[in-house]
Amino acid sequence: MNKHPMDMSSGSELAPALLQAYRETHYKVNAGPIDLEHFVLRVGEASKPLAGLHKKLGVDCSAFITACNPWGESLPDAENSKRQENFLQVLRVRSLRSIEGIGQHPCNQWQGEPSVLILGLSLAAARVLAQDYQQNAFVWSGADSTPQLVLIR
């Protein structure tokens, strides 16, 4: 896979195996209320369903973010659920359009993390939101609808 300019892993404090796991993860977007069928985002691979969704909603970017497992530390399910519900409430209060999903590595060795595709969220705003929820990284797609890994740490 070609390295994208936003994937600055050479200066990251994260372990190479963790970075690779993030790149391999399937970022699954649930079926939504707008006649949307579920689809999967893969880092570095253009997504026709995402491009269509962007066009349908009149946006040119989106971010896939979770509130679970801050800084990559596993939390109990109940605590992750509370964090994710708080995250969803913040998105509602800010009137950010979103569709729930899950980030799941294809080997299924790790439990998937409930996540959200936030539509129309700029890269700068996504970075702040991911940092507020203590995430190592998030996935962001611009006008080309190609998801890219963006590192916080």
Side-chain angles (χ1 to χ4, degrees):
M1 174 174 72
N2 292 334
K3 193 169 178 179
H4 190 277
M6 283 188 271
D7 185 357
M8 307 281 188
S9 50
S10 62
S12 175
E13 62 186 68
L14 302 176
L18 181 59
L19 291 170
Q20 188 62 31
Y22 288 158
R23 288 185 196 101
E24 293 171 353
T25 291
H26 292 184
Y27 300 95
K28 302 174 183 178
V29 180
N30 295 343
I34 52 170
D35 298 324
L36 176 70
E37 296 204 19
H38 79 277
F39 60 94
V40 176
L41 299 173
R42 301 282 314 272
V43 171
E45 296 179 14
S47 172
K48 287 184 182 181
L50 183 61
L53 182 60
H54 282 178
K55 183 176 181 179
K56 183 174 188 171
L57 298 178
V59 300
D60 64 358
C61 57
S62 55
F64 196 92
I65 304 175
T66 184
C68 298
N69 301 320
W71 304 132
E73 297 296 323
S74 292
L75 294 180
D77 289 346
E79 195 166 339
N80 276 329
S81 292
K82 286 179 189 176
R83 289 178 60 87
Q84 192 68 12
E85 186 52 45
N86 172 267
F87 183 48
L88 293 170
Q89 181 61 28
V90 165
L91 298 179
R92 285 189 289 270
V93 166
R94 294 182 185 178
S95 299
L96 293 171
R97 187 178 284 185
S98 63
I99 301 170
E100 292 185 51
I102 189 165
Q104 177 71 59
H105 193 276
C107 77
N108 290 320
Q109 185 176 355
W110 300 282
Q111 182 176 344
E113 291 181 335
S115 303
V116 182
L117 178 69
I118 307 163
L119 298 146
L121 193 65
S122 72
L123 178 59
R127 189 180 299 275
V128 168
L129 196 55
Q131 190 155 0
D132 286 349
Y133 281 88
Q134 302 165 314
Q135 295 303 300
N136 288 328
F138 63 96
V139 173
W140 188 82
S141 303
D144 65 358
S145 299
T146 301
Q148 300 301 331
L149 183 64
V150 181
L151 302 177
I152 300 297
R153 303 182 353 151

